[in-house]
Amino acid sequence: MNGNVLIHGATMVLNDETSVGDLRIRNGLIEAIVIGQSMEPLEDELFIDGRGLHLLPGIIDPQCHFRDPGQPEKEDLGSGSAAAVSGGVTSFLDMPNNKPSITDMDGMRMKLQTASEKCVNNYGFFIGATPNNVSDLQEAVGTPDQPLAIPGICGIKIFMGSSTGTLLVNEREALEAIFEGTGGLIAVHAEDEKRLIERFEAIKDRTDIAAHAEWRDDVTALLATQLAVELAQASGHRLHVLHLTSGIEAEWLDGITVLPSQAPADQAIITTETLPQHLTFDDTDVAREGTRLQMNPPIRYAADREGLWKGLKEGAIQCIATDHAPHTLE
């Protein structure tokens, strides 16, 4: 392959329109796009008949949970990377709740080395926060005054509520230390741990699937999102709120979140995402499918799904991630 390709007759998703046409790549770079007409193939290029197919820019998935290290029977970085590419995902950002959790530079170096040997697309890795590993985080991302940009390390992941694995930072003092003492980007799983503990008493004896969303309700998510935003604004820290699930969060974040390119210079840059599953399913689907649609934060209700679509279309939500996290069927 010399990086010369002609894609013919595809439905191309462009910056401001979706149109049928041809696209030429020379030496790995897009050289020409024509709409409504054809380009003649050259002898040194691969010809792809794209009629009836869609052509999109390479997708970036900003949140996934590959199972490497610790659970290769579910997936490793090699199989996950290949699966991503087969779906058009050219870059992924992977989370640290592995077995063991990745909370220091030894673990980060191990994952980066494994990725360099196995991955077939671009990758980045989050380091996991604990209540007492600020110095480890600083080694990976630096401090506010001296931020670090180590290739392959994309930021810090904080689980504000218990979800999977052992990572949890829910006390305000520990959260403040991370926001005020580190550089780079912080991504948060926003669920309020205190409210989770309080509400568990009411549902602990229930076995119906609806109990999961009632326990981890939208207020549980909103309280943690509000706290993360408060800490980011106070410290000026770059914040990304992961997997938004509720309409009330999307409504509350309207006017707070912004594309980084459009952010005022004197304000903290805060962004958020939602997931295909939360744009697609609601409690009626969960009732039908059971635990195959159980996740944290949970699938909620039709009103939440509609609120997320509204936030996505109107700009309160900046992007879509997958939160890809494979399990065996059993």
Side-chain angles (χ1 to χ4, degrees):
M1 291 292 292
N2 55 12
N4 297 337
V5 182
L6 176 63
I7 302 172
H8 166 67
T11 302
M12 297 182 290
V13 179
L14 305 172
N15 284 345
D16 52 5
E17 63 177 320
T18 300
S19 301
V20 175
D22 285 13
L23 182 143
R24 169 164 281 143
I25 299 168
R26 301 294 293 176
N27 299 315
L29 299 175
I30 296 174
E31 180 184 79
I33 298 174
V34 299
I35 303 299
Q37 53 185 309
S38 300
M39 290 188 276
E40 288 297 320
L42 303 177
E43 291 184 358
D44 66 344
E45 64 187 9
L46 174 67
F47 179 82
I48 298 175
D49 187 351
R51 290 176 295 178
L53 302 175
H54 280 77
L55 177 61
L56 286 76
I59 295 167
I60 300 169
D61 186 356
Q63 184 190 181
C64 64
H65 297 262
F66 292 165
R67 302 311 195 184
D68 198 352
Q71 298 173 301
E73 74 281 4
K74 296 182 177 183
E75 180 178 69
D76 68 7
L77 280 166
S79 64
S81 174
V85 167
S86 72
V89 176
T90 57
S91 304
F92 66 82
L93 305 181
D94 177 61
M95 294 297 169
N97 54 321
N98 302 112
K99 292 188 175 182
S101 298
I102 307 301
T103 59
D104 58 28
M105 278 303 296
D106 286 342
M108 295 297 287
R109 281 189 284 264
M110 178 269 294
K111 284 186 80 169
L112 289 169
Q113 180 63 35
T114 303
S116 72
E117 297 168 353
K118 292 183 177 181
C119 290
V120 294
N121 57 355
N122 303 315
Y123 49 81
F125 297 101
F126 284 90
I127 184 171
T130 73
N132 52 15
N133 77 332
V134 170
S135 60
D136 292 307
L137 302 178
Q138 291 171 337
E139 191 176 350
V141 300
T143 65
D145 296 332
Q146 293 182 300
L148 293 176
I150 298 174
I153 298 178
C154 54
I156 297 167
K157 169 67 178 288
I158 302 178
F159 285 88
M160 298 176 70
S162 53
S163 179
T164 59
T166 58
L167 296 173
L168 175 65
V169 185
N170 62 303
E171 296 296 335
R172 185 183 182 99
E173 183 177 358
L175 290 166
E176 287 178 342
I178 297 170
F179 273 87
E180 294 172 2
T182 62
L185 169 107
I186 290 175
V188 295
H189 175 120
E191 290 185 286
D192 184 79
E193 182 69 8
K194 181 180 178 181
R195 186 173 171 87
L196 284 176
I197 294 170
E198 291 172 349
R199 291 178 64 79
F200 186 70
E201 287 301 309
I203 62 94
K204 65 181 181 180
D205 296 323
R206 288 174 56 182
T207 58
D208 59 303
I209 191 65
H212 189 68
E214 293 178 32
W215 170 37
R216 310 178 84 104
D217 70 341
D218 54 359
V219 175
T220 298
L222 178 63
L223 289 173
T225 293
Q226 290 174 327
L227 175 57
V229 168
E230 176 192 339
L231 295 174
Q233 290 175 332
S235 62
H237 211 297
R238 172 78 172 87
L239 171 67
H240 185 67
V241 181
L242 297 161
H243 44 46
L244 211 68
T245 61
S246 72
I248 60 171
E249 286 176 285
E251 183 177 357
W252 186 81
L253 286 170
D254 189 23
I256 295 174
T257 52
V258 64
L259 286 169
S261 61
Q262 299 173 2
D266 60 343
Q267 294 182 16
I269 300 173
I270 299 171
T271 53
T272 191
E273 67 187 31
T274 191
L275 312 180
Q277 50 269 41
H278 292 105
L279 293 169
T280 305
F281 299 121
D282 61 30
D283 60 311
T284 60
D285 302 290
V286 176
R288 182 186 67 252
E289 298 294 337
T291 54
R292 296 190 73 170
L293 285 181
Q294 182 173 324
M295 63 197 70
N296 302 330
I299 302 290
R300 302 195 189 279
Y301 308 99
D304 294 293
R305 188 186 64 227
E306 293 164 5
L308 294 173
W309 274 111
K310 182 174 184 289
L312 187 65
K313 292 176 179 179
E314 296 181 358
I317 299 171
Q318 284 67 52
C319 61
I320 296 175
T322 67
D323 201 7
H324 166 86
H327 298 271
T328 56
L329 185 60
E330 61 272 22

